[in-house]
Every structure is written in structure tokens, then in C-alpha cells.
């Protein structure tokens, strides 16, 4: 039995996996079981921000593994306390709840917003308004908040209390926020929605609506956070601050981890027993996350992100068959003349470049924040060749 046959016999068929088995990583590079080398510009869906097998992260996680792995949230552990202090200082928010992933961080944010509204207004305010083409997770509540009907239809009826409006239409958002609304939930850049950045003016107007109408603003920074857009948190530099924010993906460079951050007055809506998690805030992922923050700060990876973003955007824009590039930082999408994205990503993989087709005409790039100028140039070159081959095959 081959390894593919063994996998297909034992794994739940929830993914259409590509028949490549990676066995090793080093920085921006991946290596498969046949020894082939790949330039990774997807990083496990914007997760491996400081590079594969990062020595500092590996040392921190390994050292913690040999000392203490788990004690639960009935007790304290030092890496959890240190990371919470670091995140509050860097974000400007006041409190942290550690979760296991982006979906559970968003579940926390939704529950916290409802609990805050309940304490302030009674039970009449419970709805969360989000945006079409958003993505907030695969649990039932976060799926109900997700503005992608194709992902929802299999699982109806979904939990009530969610509604979506078109992104960019501030009048629609204004109209949707009423006496039932507890919070607005949005991404500053819609990653799974096609790498679509929301304008600073729209986000600032959304903040003003929340303030005027007495509802909370939640930023889902699961994909765009932790340095991905050239700021540690994506709203920094956009002229506003949320009441609640969620982060995950890149927090621990591949170890499962998420967090929900909140202002003091909002976080205090939770009391003991209102929410919980078994694994959130464990000492091993918290140690890894502290090492990730050290890497970002000491190696000026935010500055590198901004420089490589300009290089990547300019390079992709010059490729024949690309009609535009959108996104922020190192979360970018090359927009193609036709619906060739699936063919292009398949051909790119054959050429040793890992990207993905986030929309039929859009190819997503989310390389490590550590990517060099030479590696960025190589990614552009391989993508251009893959696109050229795909266009030739189409014609």
C-alpha cells in the first residue's frame, strides 16, 4: 500500500489534498519525500511567518517541552503570563484570552461581545454584523458569521444572530446596525475572500458607527495579523483601534495557537465559568510565540515585510497575464486576466513554487516574513513561467 493509499483509506475526506508529502523545511524552502525543493510562498496558509525550522522557535519550544508541557488554566504558567503582557503592550489592548486556533479565538470574541451587550443592554442585543466574502472559521457560530453562502449551505440551519452586508458599502453597514446589534466583526484584509483589503476610510467609518451606536468593533486578525501586513497588528497604521481583536495562524509559527484580545471594560464582561479552554495558553505554544515576537522585533521583519511587499507587488504586476495585484504587506494576490488560477498553481507546484488559488482568477502569495530579495525575485520568476505555460496550454 502506498502512502497516498494509506492516507486516503484512513483520513476523513474533508480536503482535496495535492499528492505531495513534505518532510522537511528550512526558512522559505520545503523538501518533499523525493528530495525535491519548493519555494514556499503560502507558509501553511500564512502560518510559518518566521520561516520553517526557525532555530529560535525550535529552541524555545524544545526547552519548554523538556520542562513542562501542560497544567490547564486552573493554574498559572510563566510563558502564558509573559506572552499576555507582551501582547497587551504591543497591541494597546488590555486583556488576553488564549485559544487553540483562529476559529476558537473568534468564538471567544463573539461570546464576549454577546456577554458585554447582555450586561449593558439586557438580552435584546445579541446579533453580530459581518461582511460578505468574509471568513471567520468552521465552527457553527463562526461559519454563521462567515459571509460565504457556498461554505454555509451544507450545514443549515446555522445558529441565529448573524447577518452580512456588502463590504465597502458604509451605508449598508450603518443600516444593518440596529437595536439588536452587539458587534461588528470584520477583517481589514479579507484573506479567504480573495485577498481584498478594506480601505482605511471604510474601517474608520465602521469604528465611528460602533462608537455612535454603542456596539463593539471586532477585528479578525487571524490571517492578517502578527506582522503579515507590515504592522504587528493589521489595524495599526489604519487610523483606528478595535474593542476586540483575534489573532492565530502565525502566532507560534506552526504550533496550534490563537488569542482574543480586548479592552479592559469589554474583557471584564467575562467572569469565572463564562468561557474556557483545555489547551489554550499552554506553556509550549506560548514559549514558541514569544520566540516569534523576538524574531519579528530583533530582525526587523516588519521592515523586511514592507520592502519585500513592494518588490513582490511590482514584480507580479509586470508579469504578462496579470492585470493587478491587491492586498497588504506579504498577503497579496495576483489577479489574472482569466480564470486560470487553479491551473497556474498546479503548474507552479511542478516548478517548485507553493502558492494557492484563492479565487478562480486570483493566486495568493503569503511567504515567510523572512523571505529575502533574491528569494522574492525567484518566486516572481517561477510564477511568471507557470503563468506563461498555463496560458499557452489554455490557447
Amino acid at each position: 500500500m502506498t502512502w497516498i493509499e494509506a492516507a486516503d483509506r484512513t483520513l476523513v475526506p474533508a480536503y482535496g489534498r495535492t499528492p505531495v508529502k513534505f518532510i522537511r523545511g528550512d526558512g522559505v524552502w520545503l523538501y518533499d519525500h523525493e528530495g525535491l525543493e519548493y519555494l514556499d510562498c503560502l507558509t501553511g496558509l500564512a502560518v510559518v511567518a518566521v520561516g520553517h525550522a526557525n532555530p529560535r522557535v525550535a529552541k524555545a519550544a524544545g526547552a519548554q517541552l523538556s520542562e513542562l508541557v501542560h497544567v490547564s488554566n486552573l493554574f498559572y504558567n510563566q510563558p502564558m503570563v509573559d506572552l499576555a503582557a507582551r501582547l497587551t503592550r504591543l497591541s494597546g489592548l488590555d486583556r488576553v484570552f488564549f485559544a487553540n486556533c483562529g476559529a476558537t479565538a473568534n468564538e471567544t470574541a463573539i461570546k464576549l461581545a454577546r456577554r458585554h451587550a447582555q450586561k449593558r443592554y439586557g438580552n435584546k442585543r445579541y446579533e453580530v454584523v459581518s461582511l460578505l466574502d468574509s471568513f471567520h472559521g468552521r465552527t457553527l457560530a463562526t461559519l454563521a458569521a462567515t459571509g460565504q453562502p457556498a461554505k454555509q449551505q451544507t450545514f443549515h440551519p446555522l445558529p441565529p444572530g448573524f447577518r452580512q452586508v456588502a463590504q465597502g458599502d458604509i451605508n449598508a453597514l450603518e443600516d444593518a446596525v440596529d437595536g439588536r446589534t452587539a458587534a461588528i466583526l470584520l477583517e481589514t484584509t479579507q484573506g479567504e475572500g480573495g485577498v481584498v483589503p478594506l480601505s482605511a476610510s471604510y474601517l474608520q467609518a465602521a469604528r465611528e458607527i460602533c462608537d455612535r451606536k454603542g456596539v463593539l468593533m471586532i477585528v479578525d486578525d487571524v490571517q492578517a495579523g502578527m506582522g503579515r501586513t507590515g504592522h504587528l497588528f493589521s489595524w495599526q497604521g489604519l487610523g483606528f483601534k478595535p474593542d476586540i481583536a483575534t489573532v492565530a495562524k502565525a502566532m507560534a509559527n506552526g504550533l496550534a495557537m490563537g488569542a482574543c484580545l480586548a479592552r479592559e471594560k469589554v474583557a471584564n464582561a467575562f467572569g469565572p465559568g463564562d468561557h474556557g479552554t483545555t489547551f489554550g495558553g499552554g506553556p509550549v505554544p506560548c514559549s514558541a510565540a514569544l520566540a516569534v515576537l523576538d524574531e519579528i522585533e530583533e530582525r526587523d521583519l516588519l521592515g523586511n515585510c514592507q520592502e519585500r511587499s513592494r518588490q513582490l507587488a511590482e514584480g507580479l504586476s509586470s508579469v504578462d497575464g496579470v492585470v493587478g495585484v491587491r492586498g497588504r504587506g506579504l498577503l497579496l494576490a495576483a489577479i489574472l486576466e482569466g480564470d486560470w488560477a487553479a491551473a497556474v498553481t498546479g503548474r507552479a507546484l511542478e516548478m517548485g513554487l507553493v502558492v494557492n488559488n484563492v479565487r478562480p482568477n486570483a493566486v495568493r502569495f503569503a511567504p515567510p516574513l523572512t523571505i529575502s530579495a533574491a528569494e522574492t525575485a525567484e518566486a516572481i520568476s517561477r510564477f511568471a513561467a507557470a503563468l506563461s505555460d498555463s496560458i499557452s496550454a489554455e490557447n
Side-chain angles (χ1 to χ4, degrees):
M1 182 186 301
T2 68
W3 60 268
I4 291 181
E5 290 171 337
D8 288 347
R9 180 173 293 183
T10 55
L11 295 173
V12 173
Y15 287 92
R17 289 185 173 86
T18 301
V20 175
K21 182 170 65 175
F22 292 121
I23 61 170
R24 185 169 65 89
D26 181 13
V28 75
W29 300 97
L30 285 168
Y31 302 86
D32 71 10
H33 67 293
E34 295 179 336
L36 299 177
E37 183 182 70
Y38 300 78
L39 183 56
D40 186 7
C41 283
L42 189 58
T43 57
L45 300 174
V47 168
V48 191
V50 296
H52 294 285
N54 181 283
R56 190 196 298 253
V57 177
K59 182 179 179 181
Q64 187 60 53
L65 274 168
S66 68
E67 292 183 354
L68 180 68
V69 175
H70 180 75
V71 293
S72 87
N73 281 294
L74 298 179
F75 306 95
Y76 297 95
N77 72 78
Q78 193 62 50
M80 174 179 67
V81 175
D82 292 344
L83 181 58
R86 190 94 166 261
L87 290 173
T88 56
R89 175 175 61 82
L90 293 169
S91 68
L93 298 172
D94 305 305
R95 299 276 182 168
V96 182
F97 181 96
F98 288 114
N100 304 326
C101 63
T104 53
N106 283 335
E107 284 273 351
T108 303
I110 292 166
K111 289 178 69 176
L112 181 58
R114 283 192 171 188
R115 190 76 174 105
H116 176 267
Q118 183 185 55
K119 286 191 169 183
R120 185 175 181 185
Y121 301 110
N123 293 323
K124 62 182 180 179
R125 291 199 174 204
Y126 59 91
E127 283 193 348
V128 173
V129 176
S130 56
L131 305 181
L132 292 174
D133 291 325
S134 63
F135 183 82
H136 300 293
R138 299 280 190 171
T139 66
L140 284 176
T142 56
L143 187 60
T146 291
Q148 298 190 38
K151 289 183 171 65
Q152 297 173 327
Q153 60 189 9
T154 306
F155 299 100
H156 285 295
L158 292 171
F162 300 89
R163 67 168 85 177
Q164 285 86 44
V165 298
Q167 69 94 348
D169 186 341
I170 200 63
N171 292 325
L173 187 63
E174 172 92 36
D175 292 342
V177 177
D178 59 24
R180 296 170 295 178
T181 307
I184 292 173
L185 168 63
L186 48 76
E187 304 153 280
T188 61
T189 297
Q190 294 184 326
E192 301 305 314
V195 190
V196 179
L198 277 62
S199 72
S201 61
Y202 175 83
L203 293 164
Q204 292 165 17
R207 172 75 269 182
E208 190 276 330
I209 290 171
C210 290
D211 291 339
R212 177 161 40 83
K213 295 196 172 187
V215 303
L216 300 181
M217 185 179 193
I218 306 171
V219 167
D220 176 343
D221 230 22
V222 168
Q223 186 165 157
M226 297 305 295
R228 177 57 53 186
T229 65
H231 297 273
L232 190 62
F233 300 95
S234 71
W235 69 82
Q236 294 170 332
L238 293 174
F240 76 99
K241 187 168 79 171
D243 300 297
I244 303 173
T246 57
V247 288
K249 288 192 182 291
M251 281 192 75
N253 211 49
L255 296 183
M257 188 171 197
C260 176
L261 295 81
R263 296 177 189 256
E264 181 82 22
K265 65 179 182 180
V266 176
N268 286 339
F270 270 173
D274 280 341
H275 193 45
T277 174
T278 296
F279 293 107
V284 175
C286 285
S287 295
L290 286 164
V292 168
L293 291 172
D294 287 342
E295 285 284 275
I296 290 173
E297 292 183 356
E298 294 179 21
R299 296 175 61 182
D300 188 24
L301 295 185
L302 299 181
N304 188 64
C305 177
Q306 293 167 9
E307 291 176 9
R308 300 288 75 77
S309 175
R310 288 189 287 270
Q311 179 188 0
L312 184 58
E314 290 171 3
L316 293 175
S317 296
S318 68
V319 173
D320 288 341
V322 173
V323 296
V325 176
R326 67 186 179 219
R328 289 188 174 102
L330 285 175
L331 179 58
L332 298 176
I335 312 306
L336 311 181
E337 287 180 355
D339 290 348
W340 311 318
V344 173
T345 56
R347 182 62 180 135
L349 190 66
E350 294 172 356
M351 293 181 166
L353 174 67
V354 181
V355 288
N356 85 313
N357 49 309
V358 71
R359 281 290 185 266
N361 69 333
V363 177
R364 174 169 48 184
F365 287 75
L369 308 183
T370 57
I371 192 170
S372 69
E375 290 163 342
T376 302
E378 181 65 21
I380 295 165
S381 176
R382 294 187 187 194
F383 175 74
L387 180 53
S388 177
D389 284 1
S390 300
I391 293 173
S392 295
E394 184 75 17
N395 295 332

